[in-house]
Amino acid sequence: MDAAALIVIGAALLAVFWLCWSGRWRAWSRIAMLPTLPITLLPGVGLCLLLSGAGVAIGGAGEALIGIGLLAALAGVVLVMWEPSWYGPRWFRERERTYDLSVPINAAIAASVRREPAESSEALARSRLANREPGERWRAHLVSDAHGRPSAMQRVGVVRGYLLVYPDALAFAADAGEDRARGRAVVEIVPAEDIRSVRRVPAGSRPDGDRAGHDLPGRVMPRLRVDTSHGAHVFEIRGAGRRAKELESRYLGRALTAS
């Protein structure tokens, strides 16, 4: 690499360092994997490249500049490893030390270290139904804004989990990943006697009747709508049409026969 390229790259790295140090760009301070790299290693490497480029351009007399640049890079490495509490601009030292969970890598790290709730969603759902074994267990996702989106690991307006099919109730329970990311169970129980209709609805359909697919699965996966006397429940599920017929036969066919 020639001297000019070294000087340009070094100057660019120092410019980024200035943006980070001055607080004009602060988002980096809330990325878990980044720690203090932009204000420790980055200026050291930038100064090293800049001085090395200048040293190469000057020739033999520039060896001192190259040596200073190498010392600057070494100092950056030391600061990265040490991370002293006194180092950094005031806004950085006084920042809120929580990471932005809307950043996917932060959310993934948080999910990997969080503990699951004392009682999982599925265990809670079963306990509410006398710890009975469901007749069937289907992979399905609850479509609802009521449970929020605690991190980038969750889909917008969707809670991933399972439908537990009982003779007298339909239960939704979040899966282990959702439990761990949310730190709490998500369970919904629909008594069979409250079910008024079951039907397949288009992808993106929501309980309020609107359609909004926030991601690719939400725009292409058909959904199952269960209307009850207390409102609608919508689930994203494979084979939604087939599942709708099964639930209709199970819950509504019995009622029609009885009437």
Short mmCIF file of all heavy atoms in Angstrom, two decimals, residues 218-245:
data_model
loop_
_atom_site.label_atom_id
_atom_site.label_comp_id
_atom_site.label_asym_id
_atom_site.label_seq_id
_atom_site.Cartn_x
_atom_site.Cartn_y
_atom_site.Cartn_z
N GLY A 218 -44.78 -12.94 7.47
CA GLY A 218 -46.06 -12.27 7.69
C GLY A 218 -46.78 -11.92 6.41
O GLY A 218 -48.00 -11.76 6.40
N ARG A 219 -46.03 -11.80 5.31
CA ARG A 219 -46.64 -11.44 4.04
C ARG A 219 -47.02 -12.66 3.19
O ARG A 219 -47.76 -12.51 2.22
CB ARG A 219 -45.69 -10.54 3.23
CG ARG A 219 -45.54 -9.15 3.82
CD ARG A 219 -44.81 -8.22 2.85
NE ARG A 219 -43.40 -8.53 2.78
CZ ARG A 219 -42.46 -7.99 3.56
NH1 ARG A 219 -42.82 -7.11 4.48
NH2 ARG A 219 -41.20 -8.32 3.43
N VAL A 220 -46.52 -13.84 3.55
CA VAL A 220 -46.78 -15.00 2.71
C VAL A 220 -47.48 -16.15 3.45
O VAL A 220 -48.15 -16.97 2.81
CB VAL A 220 -45.48 -15.53 2.08
CG1 VAL A 220 -44.83 -14.46 1.22
CG2 VAL A 220 -44.50 -16.03 3.14
N MET A 221 -47.35 -16.21 4.77
CA MET A 221 -47.94 -17.32 5.51
C MET A 221 -49.42 -17.09 5.79
O MET A 221 -49.79 -16.06 6.36
CB MET A 221 -47.21 -17.51 6.84
CG MET A 221 -45.87 -18.19 6.72
SD MET A 221 -46.05 -19.97 6.45
CE MET A 221 -46.67 -20.48 8.05
N PRO A 222 -50.30 -18.02 5.39
CA PRO A 222 -51.72 -17.88 5.70
C PRO A 222 -51.95 -17.97 7.20
O PRO A 222 -51.11 -18.47 7.95
CB PRO A 222 -52.37 -19.04 4.96
CG PRO A 222 -51.28 -20.06 4.84
CD PRO A 222 -50.01 -19.27 4.68
N ARG A 223 -53.08 -17.48 7.63
CA ARG A 223 -53.35 -17.43 9.06
C ARG A 223 -54.71 -18.06 9.40
O ARG A 223 -55.58 -18.21 8.53
CB ARG A 223 -53.29 -15.98 9.56
CG ARG A 223 -51.87 -15.42 9.44
CD ARG A 223 -51.72 -14.00 9.91
NE ARG A 223 -50.30 -13.61 9.90
CZ ARG A 223 -49.85 -12.43 10.28
NH1 ARG A 223 -50.70 -11.50 10.72
NH2 ARG A 223 -48.56 -12.16 10.25
N LEU A 224 -54.83 -18.39 10.66
CA LEU A 224 -56.04 -19.04 11.17
C LEU A 224 -56.72 -18.06 12.11
O LEU A 224 -56.10 -17.54 13.04
CB LEU A 224 -55.64 -20.31 11.92
CG LEU A 224 -56.73 -21.09 12.64
CD1 LEU A 224 -57.62 -21.80 11.63
CD2 LEU A 224 -56.10 -22.12 13.59
N ARG A 225 -58.00 -17.79 11.86
CA ARG A 225 -58.75 -16.85 12.70
C ARG A 225 -59.79 -17.61 13.50
O ARG A 225 -60.60 -18.36 12.94
CB ARG A 225 -59.42 -15.78 11.84
CG ARG A 225 -60.19 -14.73 12.67
CD ARG A 225 -60.91 -13.75 11.75
NE ARG A 225 -61.69 -12.78 12.52
CZ ARG A 225 -61.26 -11.57 12.88
NH1 ARG A 225 -60.05 -11.18 12.50
NH2 ARG A 225 -62.03 -10.77 13.58
N VAL A 226 -59.76 -17.43 14.82
CA VAL A 226 -60.72 -18.06 15.71
C VAL A 226 -61.54 -16.95 16.34
O VAL A 226 -61.05 -16.18 17.18
CB VAL A 226 -60.02 -18.89 16.81
CG1 VAL A 226 -61.05 -19.53 17.73
CG2 VAL A 226 -59.12 -19.95 16.19
N ASP A 227 -62.80 -16.84 15.94
CA ASP A 227 -63.69 -15.83 16.50
C ASP A 227 -64.40 -16.40 17.71
O ASP A 227 -64.93 -17.52 17.67
CB ASP A 227 -64.72 -15.37 15.46
CG ASP A 227 -64.10 -14.51 14.37
OD1 ASP A 227 -63.65 -13.40 14.70
OD2 ASP A 227 -64.07 -14.97 13.21
N THR A 228 -64.42 -15.62 18.80
CA THR A 228 -65.07 -16.06 20.03
C THR A 228 -66.06 -15.00 20.49
O THR A 228 -66.14 -13.91 19.91
CB THR A 228 -64.04 -16.29 21.15
OG1 THR A 228 -63.61 -15.02 21.66
CG2 THR A 228 -62.84 -17.08 20.65
N SER A 229 -66.80 -15.30 21.52
CA SER A 229 -67.77 -14.35 22.08
C SER A 229 -67.07 -13.17 22.74
O SER A 229 -67.72 -12.18 23.07
CB SER A 229 -68.67 -15.06 23.08
OG SER A 229 -67.90 -15.73 24.07
N HIS A 230 -65.75 -13.26 22.93
CA HIS A 230 -64.99 -12.18 23.57
C HIS A 230 -63.99 -11.51 22.64
O HIS A 230 -63.17 -10.71 23.09
CB HIS A 230 -64.25 -12.73 24.79
CG HIS A 230 -65.15 -13.38 25.80
ND1 HIS A 230 -66.06 -12.68 26.55
CD2 HIS A 230 -65.29 -14.69 26.15
CE1 HIS A 230 -66.73 -13.52 27.34
NE2 HIS A 230 -66.27 -14.75 27.12
N GLY A 231 -64.04 -11.83 21.35
CA GLY A 231 -63.10 -11.25 20.41
C GLY A 231 -62.45 -12.30 19.54
O GLY A 231 -62.77 -13.50 19.63
N ALA A 232 -61.52 -11.87 18.71
CA ALA A 232 -60.87 -12.77 17.75
C ALA A 232 -59.44 -13.08 18.15
O ALA A 232 -58.75 -12.26 18.75
CB ALA A 232 -60.90 -12.16 16.36
N HIS A 233 -59.01 -14.28 17.79
CA HIS A 233 -57.62 -14.71 17.98
C HIS A 233 -57.11 -15.14 16.60
O HIS A 233 -57.79 -15.89 15.90
CB HIS A 233 -57.53 -15.88 18.96
CG HIS A 233 -58.07 -15.57 20.32
ND1 HIS A 233 -57.29 -15.12 21.34
CD2 HIS A 233 -59.35 -15.65 20.80
CE1 HIS A 233 -58.03 -14.94 22.42
NE2 HIS A 233 -59.29 -15.25 22.11
N VAL A 234 -55.93 -14.67 16.24
CA VAL A 234 -55.35 -15.00 14.94
C VAL A 234 -54.00 -15.68 15.15
O VAL A 234 -53.20 -15.23 15.97
CB VAL A 234 -55.19 -13.75 14.06
CG1 VAL A 234 -54.49 -14.09 12.75
CG2 VAL A 234 -56.55 -13.13 13.76
N PHE A 235 -53.78 -16.76 14.39
CA PHE A 235 -52.54 -17.52 14.51
C PHE A 235 -51.93 -17.73 13.13
O PHE A 235 -52.66 -17.99 12.16
CB PHE A 235 -52.79 -18.88 15.16
CG PHE A 235 -53.47 -18.80 16.49
CD1 PHE A 235 -54.86 -18.93 16.59
CD2 PHE A 235 -52.74 -18.56 17.65
CE1 PHE A 235 -55.50 -18.85 17.82
CE2 PHE A 235 -53.37 -18.46 18.88
CZ PHE A 235 -54.75 -18.61 18.97
N GLU A 236 -50.62 -17.62 13.04
CA GLU A 236 -49.91 -17.93 11.82
C GLU A 236 -49.52 -19.40 11.90
O GLU A 236 -48.85 -19.81 12.85
CB GLU A 236 -48.66 -17.05 11.73
CG GLU A 236 -47.98 -17.05 10.37
CD GLU A 236 -46.83 -16.07 10.34
OE1 GLU A 236 -47.07 -14.89 10.03
OE2 GLU A 236 -45.70 -16.48 10.67
N ILE A 237 -49.95 -20.19 10.91
CA ILE A 237 -49.76 -21.63 11.01
C ILE A 237 -49.73 -22.25 9.62
O ILE A 237 -50.43 -21.80 8.71
CB ILE A 237 -50.91 -22.25 11.86
CG1 ILE A 237 -50.68 -23.74 12.10
CG2 ILE A 237 -52.26 -22.00 11.22
CD1 ILE A 237 -51.68 -24.34 13.09
N ARG A 238 -48.90 -23.26 9.45
CA ARG A 238 -48.86 -23.98 8.17
C ARG A 238 -50.15 -24.78 8.01
O ARG A 238 -50.69 -25.33 8.96
CB ARG A 238 -47.66 -24.92 8.13
CG ARG A 238 -46.32 -24.20 8.06
CD ARG A 238 -45.18 -25.20 7.91
NE ARG A 238 -43.89 -24.53 7.91
CZ ARG A 238 -43.34 -23.97 6.85
NH1 ARG A 238 -43.98 -24.01 5.69
NH2 ARG A 238 -42.17 -23.38 6.92
N GLY A 239 -50.61 -24.87 6.77
CA GLY A 239 -51.83 -25.61 6.51
C GLY A 239 -53.02 -24.99 7.21
O GLY A 239 -53.85 -25.71 7.80
N ALA A 240 -53.12 -23.67 7.18
CA ALA A 240 -54.17 -22.98 7.92
C ALA A 240 -55.57 -23.45 7.51
O ALA A 240 -56.45 -23.59 8.37
CB ALA A 240 -54.04 -21.47 7.71
N GLY A 241 -55.77 -23.69 6.22
CA GLY A 241 -57.09 -24.15 5.78
C GLY A 241 -57.45 -25.50 6.38
O GLY A 241 -58.57 -25.71 6.85
N ARG A 242 -56.49 -26.44 6.35
CA ARG A 242 -56.73 -27.77 6.91
C ARG A 242 -56.96 -27.69 8.42
O ARG A 242 -57.88 -28.34 8.95
CB ARG A 242 -55.54 -28.68 6.60
CG ARG A 242 -55.74 -30.11 7.08
CD ARG A 242 -54.56 -30.99 6.75
NE ARG A 242 -53.43 -30.76 7.65
CZ ARG A 242 -52.34 -30.10 7.34
NH1 ARG A 242 -52.21 -29.55 6.12
NH2 ARG A 242 -51.35 -29.94 8.19
N ARG A 243 -56.16 -26.88 9.10
CA ARG A 243 -56.31 -26.75 10.54
C ARG A 243 -57.65 -26.11 10.91
O ARG A 243 -58.29 -26.48 11.91
CB ARG A 243 -55.17 -25.91 11.11
CG ARG A 243 -53.78 -26.52 10.94
CD ARG A 243 -53.69 -27.91 11.51
NE ARG A 243 -52.32 -28.41 11.53
CZ ARG A 243 -51.97 -29.65 11.79
NH1 ARG A 243 -52.92 -30.57 12.02
NH2 ARG A 243 -50.70 -30.01 11.81
N ALA A 244 -58.10 -25.17 10.08
CA ALA A 244 -59.39 -24.52 10.34
C ALA A 244 -60.52 -25.55 10.26
O ALA A 244 -61.43 -25.56 11.11
CB ALA A 244 -59.62 -23.40 9.34
N LYS A 245 -60.46 -26.42 9.27
CA LYS A 245 -61.50 -27.46 9.13
C LYS A 245 -61.47 -28.43 10.31
O LYS A 245 -62.52 -28.85 10.80
CB LYS A 245 -61.31 -28.21 7.82
CG LYS A 245 -61.61 -27.37 6.58
CD LYS A 245 -61.39 -28.17 5.31
CE LYS A 245 -61.68 -27.33 4.08
NZ LYS A 245 -61.42 -28.08 2.81
#
